Amino acid sequence: MSAHQMLKVFVTRRIPQEGMKILQKASMCDLSLWDSDEPVPRAELLKGVAGAHGLICLLSDKIDTEVLDAAGPNLKVISTLSVGFDHLAIDEIKKRGIRVGYTPDVLTDATAELTVALLLATARRLPEGVEEVKNGGWSTWKPLWLCGYGLSGSTVGVIGLGRIGLAIARRLKPFGVKKLLYTGRKPKPEAQEVDGEYVPLDTLVRESDFVVVSCALTPDTQGLCDKTFFGKMKKTSVFINTSRGAVVNQDDLFEALSSGQIAAAGLDVTTPEPLPTNHPLLTLKNCVVLPHIGSATYSTRGVMSELTANNLLAGLTGSEMPSELKM
């Protein structure tokens, strides 16, 4: 196949080798890569995508009408190295008949593990404890020093019992959780395996000792966790978000944490990302913020990369994608 017959593919970032090897072996692909671990600048994205038949992108790349126009009519497929797709202008993509691949399922276990780790670290004040050891604050044993909240006998509320929400619930149950509540668009039959009770959001927020957000970002969930939401939570409750930053009103969360309205919060997602180092939430001891590392295990990122590459190749050849977003 000569170069001018090949299909141009633009990759917006270095991706794990598992995926790159698949792309490099594909004789049909004329690969162009933004060879950096940092996001591609907007101007470079617009230039790189010009004339492309396929695009591999990440959550940090805003694929809007401007990018689609810059790509032109050749663009057949967009493959995103993520389970989320709120960075994609889905309506416009659909209108143009462009197929979209994404990576659900493969990061479920890693994200659920991280959510449990974040919950435990926040509730049991692990980052504070590490800091006290390092700064000399650890003196003698004190009965109430660094006391936190345990899962045993607690009520856990999961907002969004999808793949990840269910995987989180499965992992939390063996800690001795007494009651597992969940909310969403409709009751889920699979909730039975974790003895999940479907309740209205208001009930979940009021009764839960731990509120875990694992829903998708939609117009309905944008800003869902606001002043009213936090005002209904127990003063001893812990709030955890590993879904999307925009589900939370961060000003209202800061107020709830600093006023003692809720006990603590753990976030793996924020708005924006990265969170500025001078952000008020980072001044609080009872707020644990992680840099969006839910799926960050070597094996998970490798599998995500493979799936992203295979989705792209299927889109280029017009065959069935391993994981296609139904629009």
Side-chain angles (χ1 to χ4, degrees):
M1 190 182 275
S2 62
H4 70 273
Q5 292 173 303
M6 292 176 77
L7 302 176
K8 180 181 172 182
V9 172
F10 183 58
V11 184
T12 65
R13 190 96 62 94
R14 282 183 204 138
I15 64 171
Q17 277 306 301
E18 290 89 336
M20 281 310 293
K21 282 175 184 167
I22 290 168
L23 295 174
Q24 284 158 354
K25 279 183 190 167
S27 56
M28 73 182 95
C29 292
D30 176 16
L31 268 185
S32 176
L33 168 72
W34 176 253
D35 196 10
S36 170
D37 289 327
E38 298 305 316
V40 60
R42 184 73 177 178
E44 293 295 333
L45 172 60
L46 294 171
K47 192 164 73 178
V49 81
H53 297 82
L55 171 66
I56 286 183
C57 64
L58 279 70
L59 270 176
S60 51
D61 305 315
K62 191 173 174 60
I63 309 302
D64 54 14
T65 303
E66 185 184 23
V67 173
L68 298 173
D69 286 343
N74 283 345
L75 192 61
K76 291 180 171 186
V77 57
I78 296 168
S79 186
T80 182
L81 187 89
S82 64
V83 64
F85 46 86
D86 43 277
H87 56 304
L88 307 177
I90 292 295
D91 290 344
E92 190 61 34
I93 289 166
K94 185 179 180 182
K95 201 188 297 178
R96 297 178 189 221
I98 299 165
R99 295 170 70 190
V100 175
Y102 70 137
T103 62
D105 300 323
V106 296
L107 46 64
T108 298
D109 288 339
T111 305
E113 286 170 6
L114 189 279
T115 304
V116 173
L118 177 58
L119 184 150
L120 291 169
T122 304
R124 294 297 304 272
R125 301 170 65 180
L126 301 193
E128 277 183 83
V130 170
E131 195 51 42
E132 291 293 277
V133 171
K134 289 180 176 178
N135 67 21
W138 183 16
S139 53
T140 184
W141 185 86
K142 302 170 193 140
L144 294 178
W145 187 55
L146 286 177
C147 280
Y149 299 93
L151 278 163
S152 184
S154 70
T155 297
V156 172
V158 178
I159 298 174
L161 200 76
R163 286 180 297 262
I164 294 173
L166 186 62
I168 293 165
R170 281 194 197 109
R171 285 159 173 77
L172 289 176
K173 283 293 281 185
F175 283 93
V177 170
K178 186 177 178 183
K179 203 171 181 187
L180 197 130
L181 309 177
Y182 75 99
T183 191
R185 287 190 296 272
K186 57 182 188 233
K188 299 280 183 86
E190 54 270 33
Q192 290 176 353
E193 70 167 278
V194 290
D195 301 319
E197 184 186 337
Y198 183 67
V199 296
L201 179 65
D202 196 67
T203 303
L204 182 147
V205 174
R206 288 183 192 281
E207 294 187 8
S208 296
D209 300 300
F210 298 89
V211 175
V212 180
V213 184
S214 64
C215 57
L217 178 61
T218 66
D220 289 339
T221 61
Q222 177 122 15
L224 175 75
C225 306
D226 58 8
K227 186 170 184 163
T228 306
F229 179 101
F230 296 122
K232 293 172 185 171
M233 286 175 67
K234 299 178 183 180
K235 287 195 178 341
T236 54
S237 57
V238 174
F239 175 80
I240 302 294
N241 183 22
T242 55
S243 62
R244 284 285 174 270
V247 172
V248 177
N249 180 315
Q250 289 175 174
D251 292 338
D252 292 349
L253 176 60
F254 175 80
E255 182 57 36
L257 288 166
S258 54
S259 67
Q261 176 60 53
I262 66 173
L267 311 173
D268 186 44
V269 287
T270 59
T271 307
E273 291 182 3
L275 198 64
T277 53
N278 62 353
H279 195 280
L281 284 173
L282 299 181
T283 65
L284 301 174
K285 284 187 174 180
N286 60 344
C287 188
V288 177
V289 181
L290 299 179
H292 200 153
I293 52 172
S295 65
T297 68
Y298 291 112
S299 61
T300 298
R301 291 284 168 86
V303 174
M304 285 173 73
S305 184
E306 265 178 41
L307 182 53
T308 302
N310 286 324
N311 280 338
L312 180 102
L313 295 180
L316 289 176
T317 56
S319 48
E320 188 180 342
M321 277 188 198
S323 192
E324 182 167 4
L325 181 64
K326 302 301 177 198
M327 295 183 282

